[in-house]
Amino acid sequence: MLKIEFRIAEKLNLDRLLSESGLPFSLEKESTANGRVRYFDTFDWRLFAKQLALAKNGRKWELHNLSQNEVIAAETLTGSPKFSEDFPDGDLRRKIAPLLEMRALQLRGDVHIETSSFRVLDSMEKTIARLSINRLLTNTESKPVYHLTMVGLRGYDEAFNQLSNAVADHPAIETSNSAFEAIMAAAGQQPGEYSGKLQLNLRQEMTALDAAREIFGQLLDIIRQNEQGTNDDLDSEFLHDFRVAIRRTRSGLSQIRGIFPPDDVEKFKNAFADLQRQTNDLRDLDVYLMDAPTYRQLLPEQLRPAIEPVFAHLQSERKKALRKVRRALNSSEYVELLNDWQKYLKYAQPEVAPNAVMPAVELAKQRIYKRYRRVIKDGKAIGTDSPDEQLHTLRIDCKKLRYLLEFFESLFPAGEVKQLIKQLKKLQDNLGKFNDLSVQIDTLYDWLNLFSKKGSGVQTVAAIGSLIGTLSERKRQMRAAFHDTFAQFSSQEIRSQFKSLFAE
């Protein structure tokens, strides 16, 4: 199917266009329609990233495949679902649930659409194409946007090409874009504009200070973009991305050394660490509550109801933790910290720190290779009887190495650093799961003491004990898998890649 879409400057007079083109075509109006359509996606555009759009027209919800221009799932329901689990079981929910995960849907566009549809006829009165002009008016703009869609019919390719060339050359044609793009533009939205991942494009000629400004500047943007969603408690990922950006900032201040004076580094590191501490409880509780279905599944069926008092307790604690985070985000100290950091990045002087004017690529090589050698040294020192703390230390080392690789990836040949990150991630997954299980088991012991003292039912205490046993076995398995995972990361092949990129 041939299809071309344009944004047009104004409502196009198609009859006049065809007449002026000299083509032997005429128009026949088919229909007019109008309605209000609301578009939804997550804050980080998870549906759009898969070329999908979720539209609501009245009570009908439709999932559109943007690349194929077709509806691939639909559901009619009342209410306003926020999460995928709020949709009833069915095809639509099955398609969006793995994409949305824990993220909430947000309104991305609220558009009133008036559509005029036409058939294009040749001199034999045969339909060669269909045209539609959409008048798009959002609830935030007073001026409408016009959009033209042309679809050719099978067997009339040459005629369609003549028609599309005539339309494309018309002065009213502004740009080629899809109806969805036109609607998002009319709604003031830029699909895909947010990502919690760094999108750096550092240049070889950059000094270390200029590269640091780019890195910390993007991290500051991510912190700011997630503060409102965290404050409004829209979904748990706002706080997650907020915390990761803070953690990367702290790690960068520690690792990209000699860029700023030491006293300034300590001041901002301490301030960001204090901010992060105020969010720890809420994040921990979010993780436990998101894992609630898993905990239930791990229990024998007859014990599953007995664990519910624990989750009710966590929900209550979460309300207190959220109030604590909101106080932090709405404090003058928080506002001053971010404003001071922004000004500091803008006005930092290169002559006051030894590595500030050093080529960024040279500093990156030094820092990455040093951190990599430390990971290998610490990993090799871990034996079967080593305490858990050694694996925890290695996990932190790996995280610091990962951050450095991500900070400076754009300074090295495309794909090579990404491949090393992929290998590192396998080791991080093992160490991360081991650490998560260790923390969860410690927390379960805390719950065991708490609910024993509260005089909770025997079955609740038994359920907690059962989870401790199950998770302890998983922790043992994860620990046993560590040595093979580390051996892969410390292989000669990966060592040679690190040496070639960062030490030669």
Side-chain angles (χ1 to χ4, degrees):
M1 179 178 68
L2 296 172
K3 181 180 178 184
I4 298 180
E5 298 178 284
F6 300 102
R7 172 173 167 152
I8 55 182
E10 55 188 278
K11 191 169 184 179
L12 195 59
N13 188 322
L14 292 170
D15 285 316
R16 182 183 301 171
L17 186 153
L18 289 179
S19 173
E20 293 174 352
S21 72
L23 295 170
F25 303 143
S26 59
L27 282 180
E28 181 177 292
K29 192 164 186 176
E30 279 194 308
S31 63
T32 57
N34 66 79
R36 179 189 181 192
V37 181
R38 307 174 82 194
Y39 286 86
F40 294 83
D41 206 329
T42 61
F43 183 68
D44 51 1
W45 297 95
R46 293 186 177 201
L47 296 177
F48 177 75
K50 299 294 182 183
Q51 282 296 290
L52 299 172
L54 184 62
K56 181 188 180 191
N57 187 344
R59 294 194 300 129
K60 190 169 185 180
W61 291 74
E62 293 180 337
L63 184 64
H64 295 253
N65 182 320
L66 296 173
S67 58
Q68 300 296 321
N69 193 36
E70 62 181 0
V71 176
I72 59 172
E75 190 77 59
T76 300
L77 68 155
T78 56
S80 299
K82 182 179 178 184
F83 296 97
S84 62
E85 58 264 33
D86 297 332
F87 287 85
D89 283 335
D91 194 32
L92 178 60
R93 176 171 167 171
R94 280 194 295 276
K95 283 187 166 66
I96 64 173
L99 303 176
L100 302 188
E101 297 182 293
M102 71 297 287
R103 294 238 67 159
L105 289 169
Q106 295 187 336
L107 180 63
R108 289 302 196 170
D110 188 348
V111 189
H112 186 268
I113 303 176
E114 294 178 11
T115 302
S116 300
S117 301
F118 304 86
R119 289 197 299 153
V120 182
L121 309 176
D122 64 9
S123 57
M124 304 292 289
E125 297 291 309
K126 299 289 187 183
T127 302
I128 65 160
R130 283 192 162 82
L131 304 184
S132 61
I133 291 182
N134 294 311
R135 179 181 183 273
L136 312 171
L137 183 61
T138 70
N139 61 343
T140 56
E141 296 291 332
S142 57
K143 187 178 178 183
V145 170
Y146 291 94
H147 184 266
L148 170 67
T149 301
M150 303 195 311
V151 178
L153 298 189
R154 182 175 297 177
Y156 296 96
D157 291 3
E158 184 177 347
F160 182 77
N161 287 334
Q162 290 175 338
L163 175 66
S164 58
N165 288 336
V167 171
D169 290 339
H170 195 276
I173 299 298
E174 285 190 340
T175 182
S176 172
N177 68 2
S178 70
F180 179 75
E181 289 171 330
I183 290 168
M184 288 298 108
Q189 299 282 342
Q190 186 176 343
E193 65 179 341
Y194 172 78
S195 171
K197 297 178 180 176
L198 290 169
Q199 309 286 331
L200 292 161
N201 188 21
L202 304 181
R203 300 178 300 281
Q204 291 287 322
E205 67 274 17
M206 271 184 160
T207 65
L209 176 59
D210 286 340
R213 284 191 174 116
E214 291 274 338
I215 295 165
F216 290 125
Q218 277 203 16
L219 291 170
L220 180 57
D221 283 345
I222 294 172
I223 292 171
R224 289 193 186 281
Q225 288 182 78
N226 283 284
E227 63 187 18
Q228 191 60 52
T230 301
N231 200 47
D232 294 343
D233 197 26
L234 297 179
D235 65 46
S236 60
E237 286 305 281
F238 285 99
L239 177 61
H240 173 264
D241 286 5
F242 181 85
R243 283 169 50 85
V244 170
I246 291 173
R247 192 162 60 232
R248 283 175 166 160
T249 299
R250 292 171 53 212
S251 180
L253 282 167
S254 297
Q255 296 197 84
I256 311 174
R257 293 180 180 172
I259 305 300
F260 306 124
D263 289 347
D264 294 341
V265 169
E266 284 305 304
K267 171 189 153 187
F268 284 112
K269 270 175 56 181
N270 291 336
F272 279 113
D274 182 58
L275 175 60
Q276 184 157 342
R277 271 193 295 274
Q278 296 180 71
T279 67
N280 286 349
D281 290 345
L282 182 57
R283 179 59 190 168
D284 289 346
L285 288 161
D286 278 345
V287 172
Y288 290 127
L289 288 167
M290 281 191 291
D291 284 343
T294 303
Y295 286 131
R296 294 186 184 104
Q297 287 298 317
L298 291 175
L299 288 169
E301 194 167 346
Q302 62 271 30
L303 275 181
R304 288 175 190 170
I307 200 68
E308 295 309 316
V310 174
F311 296 126
H313 168 73
L314 297 184
Q315 287 286 7
S316 175
E317 292 298 303
R318 189 184 185 280
K319 292 177 183 175
K320 299 176 191 172
L322 178 60
R323 286 197 292 270
K324 181 179 174 183
V325 169
R326 283 174 169 160
R327 281 196 298 273
L329 293 182
N330 292 291
S331 68
S332 58
E333 290 84 359
Y334 172 76
V335 175
E336 287 173 12
L337 169 61
L338 265 56
N339 288 342
D340 287 351
W341 181 228
Q342 186 170 12
K343 289 177 187 171
Y344 187 82
L345 293 176
K346 184 175 181 180
Y347 297 113
Q349 297 300 310
E351 62 270 17
V352 297
N355 294 333
V357 295
M358 182 178 184
V361 67
E362 293 304 317
L363 184 65
K365 286 181 176 181
Q366 289 179 14
R367 298 304 306 159
I368 290 171
Y369 199 60
K370 185 174 183 178
R371 180 59 60 183
Y372 167 71
R373 286 191 300 170
R374 180 164 177 175
V375 166
I376 297 301
K377 180 183 176 184
D378 288 353
K380 280 187 170 182
I382 295 175
T384 53
D385 297 329
S386 297
D388 291 355
E389 287 73 20
Q390 277 188 249
L391 280 87
H392 175 67
T393 300
L394 180 63
R395 184 180 68 86
I396 300 299
D397 286 341
C398 288
K399 189 172 285 189
K400 290 178 178 177
L401 176 60
R402 169 87 169 267
Y403 289 162
L404 282 172
L405 290 168
E406 291 173 344
F407 289 160
F408 296 112
E409 180 180 354
S410 56
L411 290 173
F412 298 94
E416 295 191 28
V417 173
K418 200 174 291 298
Q419 186 60 30
L420 293 176
I421 291 174
K422 185 178 177 182
Q423 296 298 328
L424 175 61
K425 190 172 181 300
K426 294 177 184 175
L427 178 58
Q428 283 190 283
D429 286 346
N430 172 268
L431 293 167
K433 288 175 183 173
F434 179 80
N435 182 71
D436 289 347
L437 288 164
S438 300
V439 172
Q440 288 172 29
I441 291 166
D442 289 345
T443 303
L444 283 165
Y445 275 112
D446 291 340
W447 294 350
L448 193 64
N449 290 330
L450 175 67
F451 282 88
S452 296
K453 289 177 182 175
K454 287 173 69 172
S456 299
V458 173
Q459 287 210 326
T460 296
V461 174
I464 297 171
S466 176
L467 287 174
I468 291 174
T470 302
L471 296 188
S472 296
E473 173 57 22
R474 289 190 173 187
K475 179 184 170 185
R476 187 195 65 74
Q477 294 171 358
M478 202 56 63
R479 173 66 186 258
F482 163 74
H483 296 285
D484 284 345
T485 308
F486 180 76
Q488 291 173 21
F489 183 70
S490 60
S491 67
Q492 186 58 49
E493 180 185 356
I494 294 177
R495 286 186 188 206
S496 298
Q497 291 173 18
F498 267 97
K499 187 175 181 180
S500 172
L501 271 178
F502 306 119
E504 293 179 351

